[in-house]
Amino acid sequence: MAHTFLLLQAREAGDPAAAQELDSFAEALEVPVTTVRPWDLLAGPPTAADLEGVDALLVGGSGAFSVLDDHAWIRQFMDFLEETSVHRRFPTFASCFGFQALVVAGGGVVVRDPERAELGTYDIEVTREGLADPLLGPMAPSFPAQEGHKDRADRLPDGCVHLARSALCDYQCFRVEGAPVVATQFHPELTREGEAFRCRTYAEMYKGAGVAEEMAAVIASLRDSPEASAMMKRWVAQTLPT
């Protein structure tokens, strides 16, 4: 059975990461790219009619935007996530910007913290709760994953299960308890090559953040992250009917 995905994207017009993000999710899910439909969040969130025939939502990064920015479309997006993913528990997998958006939509707290920014490949530790989770348990005790963020979650929403952490960022993955809704601060959809592309694309944005003063060194230090990428396909197998 072929599943259909709606990829919610927060990208400026002309951002080369938009097309790369679409391809990256399709590759990690091991599905034809034609089954992953992009949605421009800057034009507003999807309606109920737009979700007809969609099996799951995907949310990726954002490039120039933060969930802490005061934009009308971001507030509308938060309302959409609160209603659709948190309350209705529509199958959702969100990474990076999507992770932080779900935190805020659920009533948690995100803060701007460039001193603990992460850009590159980092080791992710599975928590005690994560050991019992069917998605994260197979990845214990730790695994490498691609990162690119300056904001971080400071408190998860009530009703969420804390599944993973890193040395710099305590909240790296959570699940809405009992629901097919999972979010990661890291980018499981990105390979080492995909992370290198993002580093080059957003090099100017990370200057002064404490992680990208020498971008060539960051790119040279990148590692493969097959365990993180594999969780995407496993989430579909555990979430969507065949």
Side-chain angles (χ1 to χ4, degrees):
M1 176 181 177
H3 299 296
T4 301
F5 304 88
L6 190 65
L7 173 60
L8 309 182
Q9 294 189 290
R11 303 282 178 187
E12 292 181 310
D15 187 339
Q20 186 240 13
E21 183 171 64
L22 182 67
D23 291 339
S24 295
F25 270 105
E27 290 171 7
L29 291 166
E30 297 184 13
V31 299
V33 71
T34 54
T35 66
V36 184
R37 181 160 56 97
W39 185 274
D40 181 9
L41 285 171
L42 277 66
T47 66
D50 295 318
L51 295 182
E52 292 182 6
V54 173
D55 296 303
L57 293 173
L58 306 171
V59 191
S62 64
F65 301 106
S66 162
V67 299
L68 302 176
D69 292 340
D70 186 19
H71 296 303
W73 67 265
I74 289 181
R75 295 191 295 272
Q76 293 166 1
F77 175 43
M78 299 299 180
D79 290 342
F80 168 83
L81 285 180
E82 181 182 11
E83 171 62 24
T84 306
S85 301
V86 178
H87 294 318
R88 287 181 50 203
R89 300 188 167 197
F90 193 92
T92 303
F93 195 107
S95 70
C96 200
F97 174 82
F99 168 94
Q100 294 165 3
L102 265 175
V103 169
V104 175
V109 177
V110 169
V111 296
R112 188 160 285 136
D113 191 356
E115 291 186 358
R116 284 197 266 183
E118 294 173 306
L119 181 66
T121 311
Y122 289 78
D123 291 320
I124 309 298
E125 176 191 352
V126 178
T127 64
R128 182 178 60 185
E129 295 86 350
L131 289 172
D133 187 86
L135 184 61
L136 267 290
M139 303 167 73
S142 64
F143 58 94
Q146 311 304 332
E147 299 266 15
H149 68 97
K150 292 178 284 186
D151 300 342
R152 63 173 177 84
D154 194 51
R155 178 174 61 81
L156 291 183
D158 294 338
C160 291
V161 185
H162 180 202
L163 302 178
R165 62 169 60 91
S166 69
L168 289 175
C169 185
D170 193 45
Y171 300 113
Q172 283 283 350
C173 182
F174 72 88
R175 178 191 294 277
V176 175
E177 190 170 10
V181 179
V182 173
T184 62
Q185 179 59 78
F186 56 91
H187 284 278
E189 76 277 11
L190 289 183
T191 62
R192 177 173 57 85
E193 293 79 9
E195 178 76 2
F197 177 88
R198 294 285 178 88
C199 286
R200 291 190 293 267
T201 299
Y202 296 130
E204 290 299 316
M205 293 184 186
Y206 278 93
K207 285 187 176 179
V211 292
E213 298 310 307
E214 184 47 71
M215 187 61 73
V218 173
I219 293 174
S221 72
L222 296 177
R223 293 173 281 149
D224 291 325
S225 51
E227 299 92 344
S229 294
M231 73 182 291
M232 299 289 304
K233 186 178 178 181
R234 188 163 63 251
W235 176 77
V236 169
Q238 294 174 357
T239 299
L240 302 179
T242 57

